[in-house]
Amino acid sequence: MHTSLTEEARVQYRVHPPAFLDGKAKLLLIDGKLVPSVSGKTFKTYNPSTGKVLAEVAEAGREDIDRAVAAARRAFEEGPWSRFKPFDRQAVLLRLADLVEKHFDELCLIDTLDMGGPIARTSAARRRGVALLRYYAGLATATHGHTIDNSVDGDIFSYTLKEPVGVVAAINPWNGPLGLAIWKIAPVLATGCTMVLKPAEQAPLSPLRLGELCLEAGVPAGVVNIVTGFGEAGAALSAHPGVDKIAFTGSTEVGQHIVRASAGNMKRVSVELGGKSPNIVFADADLDQAVPGAAMAVFNNSGQICSAGTRLFVQRSIHDEFVQRVAAFAKTLRVGDPLDPQTQLGPLVSDTQLERVTGYLASGKAEGAQALSGGQRITEGALADGYFVAPTIFANVTDSMAIAREEIFGPVISAMPFDSIEEVIRRGNDTPYGLGAGVWTRDIGNAQRVSRGLRTGSVWVNCYQAMDPAVPFGGYKMSGYGRESGTEHMEEYLQTKAVWVKNPPEKR
Ligand code: NAP
Ligand code: MG
């Protein structure tokens, strides 16, 4: 179902455009100040629903990166931040959480305009965004080392200290600009690190607005710096000798560049990369839940989610019926203007992404897959100017086709039948990636065997993409390493120092 903007949404957006989009060029946040780039260069960010320019944004170059890293270093070593106690950092995080909550309508509208996420989806992220900040506020005062019983001769004891790792370079993709920025900022503030954040060029606006809120929340100058720009800015940042750790989320290809760039000064690295996640439906599953579950495991955010369950394995006895039902469900989804509260799928983020996804649609057909729904760009009426693709399920897919092996990052499911549990575990693992996986079954034995057998960072049983600030998320294999969320996330930003103390002999 394709819809264009309702009159109601049009009126609402005209009455309440985000105040942040005031027509002025958006600046870098360096050392507590909003500044243009040294070169004076800017770039444009676009609204993917219309292809029209949304804002001009400062384009950071090497000198801006140097300035931002120097500010972060000063703030880490000399600034008031280095004297903040855990309770003080907690207070900052709680104030930021309150501000994000207060300004959420504006923040989610900015994301909808900048990257095309349906407003129903971006506004529903309120609870998670605010909860993330409050969760890390709790962890700020819950971090501690241990005293450790050692077996060394003599009166000598040992304990560990947890210390912030230092200056963090955080580099993000565009598929959830606000949430991803919060996910990077929260552990920095909780642990006492400082940071330079580089959002993706395609959707840099909500991170910049979040930077303003950081200042309002009392984050001291230089603790959170935000530099917008292209891949070269990210490359300069990840190779910078003044950076102690890189927290990268993005493609596996760029992740490999990051790891190489980190070697110069042995930076700590965490990399959250791509995926080609298996979603496995057994014949005994509750199909009324599994049909929309399997569909939305891919169609959420128009498929632009790293853990999307894009390889749909269906037990042979129900395969044909199941894929037909997913196709019928896909045809009921409302694809349209993301400002319309009824819209379920918005556009892809950019013309480049549209080209990439339609390329895979063509390659799937050329290799003999059959599109049971969608299969093409939407070129009708008001949607023709945007980057809209109809939700697609391919049947007659084989494991070796490009659509079954490569990350598409669009609303495309590749469905395949399977017979036995051993077989589906083997095929599920037959990918360089290892991010997420789903299992749909009423049999607890099947669920456990598949959960243990798959080499992925998350497994969802009878659900998909459930997330919580307390539950760690991350990859196996070429989906990267390191975890975000949970106490594991804090460890990524902390050093462990062992201290040995020998009691001097008693004075006689
Ligand atoms: P991308 O091309 O890898 O870009 C990610 C970020 O890296 C952007 O800010 C980009 O800057 C920057 N960058 C590009 N080249 C760089 C270089 N040589 N050195 C340092 N930084 C560089 O990824 P994307 O296309 O934006 O996002 C989609 C990918 O992200 C997918 O593969 C998806 O699976 C993955 N992802 C993973 C997770 C996860 O948690 N595992 C979550 C979300 C997305 P510019 O954009 O300005 O060029
Ligand atoms: Mg944009």
Side-chain angles (χ1 to χ4, degrees):
M1 201 183 303
H2 312 157
T3 61
S4 53
L5 191 57
T6 59
E7 195 48 37
E8 183 196 356
R10 219 184 290 274
V11 169
Q12 220 176 28
Y13 171 55
R14 253 206 316 264
V15 177
H16 304 289
F20 188 62
L21 296 179
D22 53 6
K24 295 187 194 136
K26 296 296 134 193
L27 303 176
L28 311 173
L29 172 58
I30 296 179
D31 209 10
K33 293 181 200 71
L34 298 172
V35 293
S37 61
V38 170
S39 68
K41 280 195 199 163
T42 61
F43 65 98
K44 295 177 173 63
T45 181
Y46 297 86
N47 179 343
S49 301
T50 59
K52 293 204 177 104
V53 175
L54 197 57
E56 294 266 343
V57 182
E59 180 186 332
R62 186 172 293 275
E63 287 166 298
D64 303 290
I65 298 295
D66 284 343
R67 281 196 301 166
V69 172
R73 175 60 57 192
R74 269 197 310 279
F76 182 69
E77 286 176 3
E78 301 156 28
W81 184 241
S82 57
R83 296 184 293 279
F84 270 48
K85 299 286 186 193
F87 273 130
D88 304 324
R89 299 200 302 270
Q90 179 177 62
V92 167
L93 274 157
L94 290 173
R95 282 198 298 272
L96 183 59
D98 290 345
L99 285 167
V100 167
E101 194 165 41
K102 182 174 157 198
H103 294 280
F104 205 86
D105 288 346
E106 179 192 2
L107 290 163
C108 68
L109 184 52
I110 293 172
D111 267 2
T112 288
L113 293 168
D114 206 7
M115 62 73 64
I119 194 77
R121 176 181 167 80
T122 56
S123 61
R126 179 191 307 260
R127 186 164 179 275
R128 176 174 152 74
V130 174
L132 264 172
L133 289 162
R134 296 208 172 116
Y135 174 76
Y136 287 89
L139 290 184
T141 55
T143 298
H144 51 76
H146 298 285
T147 52
I148 302 164
D149 254 350
N150 66 64
S151 305
V152 169
D153 281 346
D155 190 7
I156 177 164
F157 82 99
S158 42
Y159 63 92
T160 55
L161 291 173
K162 291 291 179 183
E163 297 180 341
V165 77
V167 174
V168 176
I171 302 175
N172 269 346
W174 41 262
N175 59 332
L178 178 68
L180 289 167
I182 291 175
W183 223 1
K184 293 286 191 286
I185 290 175
V188 161
L189 297 181
T191 53
C193 292
T194 61
M195 78 188 307
V196 180
L197 169 68
K198 194 203 90 64
E201 94 215 30
Q202 295 87 346
L205 295 174
S206 69
L208 288 172
R209 179 69 183 114
L210 184 63
E212 294 182 355
L213 296 181
C214 284
L215 297 182
E216 207 177 321
V219 174
V223 173
V224 173
N225 303 277
I226 304 185
V227 292
T228 43
F230 297 101
E232 302 84 76
L237 191 53
S238 46
H240 204 290
V243 168
D244 301 301
K245 175 196 157 60
I246 312 175
F248 174 76
T249 302
S251 61
T252 295
E253 189 190 346
V254 175
Q256 289 175 313
H257 288 297
I258 298 280
V259 172
R260 283 187 211 105
S262 73
N265 64 336
M266 287 297 171
K267 293 177 182 73
R268 285 268 290 273
V269 182
S270 50
V271 275
E272 301 278 354
L273 309 175
K276 191 73 187 174
S277 299
N279 197 8
I280 299 169
V281 184
F282 285 91
D284 72 341
D286 179 335
L287 300 188
D288 291 341
Q289 284 190 22
V291 167
M296 297 318 289
V298 175
F299 299 146
N300 264 327
N301 216 31
S302 294
Q304 303 168 118
I305 298 186
C306 50
S307 54
T310 46
R311 286 186 299 147
L312 177 61
F313 292 100
V314 187
Q315 206 157 21
R316 195 174 301 275
S317 61
I318 58 159
H319 174 272
D320 294 354
E321 177 203 343
F322 191 82
V323 295
Q324 289 298 347
R325 283 182 66 180
V326 173
F329 179 84
K331 288 173 190 162
T332 68
L333 293 171
R334 296 172 69 102
V335 186
D337 193 298
L339 286 170
D340 182 340
Q342 304 297 320
T343 289
Q344 290 164 291
L345 274 80
L348 298 173
V349 73
S350 63
D351 49 356
T352 313
Q353 194 61 19
L354 176 72
E355 228 168 88
R356 178 187 158 92
V357 173
T358 49
Y360 277 109
L361 295 176
S363 105
K365 290 174 195 163
E367 288 194 274
Q370 183 193 359
L372 301 181
S373 69
Q376 75 282 319
R377 177 183 184 181
I378 298 170
T379 48
E380 291 159 22
L383 302 192
D385 293 334
Y387 314 128
F388 294 88
V389 169
T392 300
I393 174 164
F394 273 124
N396 291 341
V397 178
T398 60
D399 292 315
S400 60
M401 290 182 186
I403 56 166
R405 305 210 62 79
E406 294 168 22
E407 185 179 51
I408 300 175
F409 231 55
V412 185
I413 297 175
S414 299
M416 292 167 280
F418 74 92
D419 294 297
S420 73
I421 185 166
E422 295 74 23
E423 172 206 336
V424 81
I425 291 172
R426 181 180 50 72
R427 289 169 66 197
N429 281 332
D430 183 18
T431 165
Y433 296 113
L435 194 54
V439 193
W440 300 80
T441 178
R442 286 193 173 92
D443 182 328
I444 188 79
N446 279 349
Q448 298 282 11
R449 280 165 70 197
V450 173
S451 303
R452 291 213 197 113
L454 290 175
R455 298 193 27 83
T456 62
S458 300
V459 180
W460 291 283
V461 179
N462 296 325
C463 58
Y464 207 87
Q465 273 155 355
M467 300 281 268
D468 186 272
V471 182
F473 177 85
Y476 280 32
K477 301 182 347 193
M478 287 183 80
S479 293
Y481 46 81
R483 291 293 176 270
E484 295 194 305
S485 285
T487 49
E488 285 86 346
H489 198 183
M490 294 287 280
E491 289 297 324
E492 307 283 347
Y493 291 76
L494 292 168
Q495 288 281 19
T496 301
K497 178 181 282 175
V499 183
W500 294 83
V501 183
K502 185 169 181 178
N503 283 336
E506 272 177 44
K507 259 193 178 155
R508 287 170 211 273

